[in-house]
Amino acid sequence: MKKIRILHVAQAAGGVDRYIQMLLKYLDREKFENILVCSYDFKKEDYNGLADAFEQVDMQRTICKADIAAMSEVRKLIGKYKPDIVYAHSSKAGAIARVADIGMKTTEGKKNICIYNPHGWAFNIRCGRKKQMIYTAIERIAAPFCDKIICISDAEKKSALDKKICKEEKLQVIFNGVDIEEYERRKKAGISVVTREVLQIPEDVFVVGMVGRISTQKAPEIFVTMAKQVKQEISNAYFIIVGDGNQREEIEEYAEKNGLIDSLLITGWIENALDYVDLFDVAVLLSRWEGFGLVLPEYMLSGKPIVATRVDAIPDIIIDGENGLLVDVDDAQSAAEAVLKLHKDARLRLNLVNRERITVYEKYDARRVSDEHERVFKEIKNRCS
């Protein structure tokens, strides 16, 4: 049987990069052929054995004149590979790929299928009303040029319907997932060399950590404000931020001024965040907006009690008091109180972690993500044939 050829288009690396790697890893290679067309933020070696072809195009994060050239290049590559399905990942690639795909055909001369996954709507980002209106307008205009829109959470689907992006039948929810098999393989093999000893962190400290870009979305300043309050109650508390970003200098200055500099580690960009999550006693995500929050099932997989904000898709994943604790956005005091509660109550920590384990294995396995994609690909291809 002829393989279904899928041409993936992606601009933003980071979480989208990891998502595509996991998706391609578990898609049935006997049934699907995968071509990746991506920006120069991606690394070819990461897709060895995953992508059947790898192409790079100059796609910028911001809206600019270079977008026209990017559309032209993507259109040429669609013409070169003649895929059965064009799958656009994230807002920028979504706009570029959907325009580039207009009127393109498969090897059989039929109109190909176009699927779009925003990986978090741009209009949900905390920004000015004018920008939100522009992002919403772009999504409404582009929606007719694809056959299916994949939402990564129920909250994302609700946002699309609230903004009247398209009709409900065009929307399909496929929750994100984590690579459980890879995590278990690494744990069994003892691959991680990240230990408290290596990082010169005392064994008796209470570690509170977060994974994420040090930028407005992840509220790193709320994290360090929370850290200061926790430190006042727990003298041996220690804090880790796994990531980097444009607010790093600001966060380090705050830590210096508030006597936290010797109790804070910022790792910078690293290959495997879960190696550091294993060091946490409590895992925190204080996002101001979140399309899904992939790090939450990763925290669960690592068996860490969670404190997260009550925003967007996060309450789809974290049920307050059942598999984590929820606090309001920008509320450092409530976040500190939640961390202190977990520090004091060992039974609560154990109950949350036990429930988390069940949640991640039942709902957030990367294999399930690929299986659901396979069903969507086959169903829509059969319908459009």
Side-chain angles (χ1 to χ4, degrees), residues 40 88 100 152 174 276 311 367:
Y40 288 99
I152 56 177
I174 299 180
Y276 286 84
V311 67
R367 277 193 177 276

Side-chain angles (χ1 to χ4, degrees), residues 280-297:
F280 297 176
D281 291 297
V282 172
V284 174
L285 184 67
L286 302 178
S287 301
R288 294 187 167 104
W289 66 88
E290 199 66 70
F292 182 81
L294 187 59
V295 74
L296 293 172

Side-chain angles (χ1 to χ4, degrees), residues 226 229 307 326-328 330-340:
M226 173 273 295
Q229 295 179 32
V307 175
L326 293 178
V327 298
D328 290 334
D330 289 340
D331 190 343
Q333 181 174 341
S334 292
E337 289 171 357
V339 170
L340 292 170

Side-chain angles (χ1 to χ4, degrees), residues 166-286:
C166 63
K167 292 183 179 179
E168 186 171 2
E169 54 263 30
K170 184 169 279 192
L171 300 168
Q172 174 85 35
V173 176
I174 299 180
F175 284 104
N176 269 0
V178 291
D179 196 341
I180 293 175
E181 286 185 17
E182 176 63 14
Y183 176 78
E184 290 179 343
R185 183 190 71 81
R186 289 177 63 87
K187 290 291 287 184
K188 185 175 181 180
I191 291 174
S192 173
V193 294
V194 180
T195 64
R196 293 191 180 195
E197 183 180 4
V198 168
L199 298 175
Q200 298 184 325
I201 299 173
E203 286 296 327
D204 65 340
V205 300
F206 183 76
V207 177
V208 182
M210 66 166 268
V211 175
R213 184 184 295 273
I214 307 177
S215 60
T216 303
Q217 180 192 2
K218 305 298 183 181
E221 72 278 20
I222 302 300
F223 178 85
V224 290
T225 304
M226 173 273 295
K228 179 182 178 182
Q229 295 179 32
V230 170
K231 187 71 173 175
Q232 290 170 349
E233 300 294 326
I234 307 173
S235 60
N236 69 331
Y238 193 90
F239 307 92
I240 299 177
I241 299 177
V242 182
D244 212 332
N246 58 9
Q247 285 186 257
R248 178 169 182 164
E249 186 175 336
E250 171 192 333
I251 297 306
E252 289 174 334
E253 286 179 3
Y254 180 94
E256 183 75 52
K257 290 177 182 177
N258 288 275
L260 288 172
I261 199 66
D262 293 329
S263 302
L264 174 67
L265 169 66
I266 299 178
T267 67
W269 299 121
I270 51 95
E271 285 296 319
N272 198 316
L274 286 178
D275 289 344
Y276 286 84
V277 174
D278 282 341
L279 306 178
F280 297 176
D281 291 297
V282 172
V284 174
L285 184 67
L286 302 178

Side-chain angles (χ1 to χ4, degrees), residues 7-131:
L7 187 141
H8 302 263
V9 184
Q11 179 275 320
V16 173
D17 190 358
R18 289 160 54 212
Y19 184 96
I20 297 172
Q21 287 183 47
M22 284 190 292
L23 176 62
L24 300 194
K25 178 178 178 180
Y26 292 113
L27 278 179
D28 189 339
R29 295 182 64 82
E30 297 295 317
K31 299 175 183 175
F32 298 94
E33 179 183 357
N34 293 286
I35 316 299
L36 179 60
V37 176
C38 57
S39 71
Y40 288 99
D41 291 336
F42 289 69
K43 297 177 183 178
K44 184 175 182 178
E45 57 269 26
D46 290 341
Y47 289 87
N48 290 339
L50 296 178
D52 297 278
F54 182 91
E55 303 274 3
Q56 288 182 295
V57 172
D58 183 16
M59 285 186 276
Q60 301 297 318
R61 189 178 185 89
T62 56
I63 299 172
C64 59
K65 291 181 180 178
D67 294 346
I68 298 173
M71 287 176 191
S72 177
E73 288 301 309
V74 171
R75 187 173 179 84
K76 287 177 184 176
L77 290 167
I78 294 172
K80 174 182 175 181
Y81 289 103
K82 297 187 182 303
D84 299 291
I85 298 171
V86 172
Y87 189 175
H89 299 265
S90 76
S91 300
K92 188 59 176 289
I96 290 171
R98 283 182 285 180
V99 173
D101 189 49
I102 294 173
M104 300 302 284
K105 308 285 186 181
T106 67
T107 53
E108 291 85 13
K110 298 177 181 179
K111 171 67 180 78
N112 63 37
I113 296 157
C114 186
I115 297 174
Y116 168 50
N117 186 334
H119 293 275
W121 295 109
F123 51 70
N124 282 338
I125 295 172
R126 185 181 288 191
C127 58
R129 180 171 173 77
K130 185 177 179 181
K131 273 192 175 182

